[in-house]
């Protein structure tokens, strides 16, 4: 990231105290927005939509929307 902040955490498991900036942000948004929570929780346990590639795609989509 441009600010030198780590995007991904060392331990991104569901029991981790600090999952990294991306996972912590997703958890916060899920707690505030029912549609986001439903979208993330709809899949199977092995489909958590947080792989490195998906994180990059979601971040790029957000950046695109912000700069529009």
């Amino acid at each position: 990231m441009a600010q030198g902040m780590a995007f991904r955490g060392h331990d991104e498991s569901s029991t981790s105290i600090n999952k990294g900036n991306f996972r912590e942000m997703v958890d916060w948004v899920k707690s505030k927005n029912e549609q986001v929570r439903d979208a993330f929780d709809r899949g199977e346990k092995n489909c958590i939509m947080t792989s490195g590639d998906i994180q990059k795609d979601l971040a790029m989509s957000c950046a695109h929307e912000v700069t529009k």
Side-chain angles (χ1 to χ4, degrees), residues 27-67:
D27 287 348
W28 179 80
V29 173
K30 284 170 57 176
S31 74
K32 305 290 182 192
N33 187 311
E34 186 176 344
Q35 289 178 314
V36 173
R37 183 174 48 253
D38 289 345
F40 273 89
D41 294 344
R42 188 176 309 139
E44 298 292 326
K45 293 293 182 193
N46 64 346
C47 179
I48 56 174
M49 300 189 325
T50 56
S51 72
D53 289 339
I54 290 175
Q55 288 182 17
K56 290 175 190 173
D57 289 345
L58 288 172
M60 290 299 294
S61 296
C62 290
H64 179 72
E65 289 300 314
V66 168
T67 55

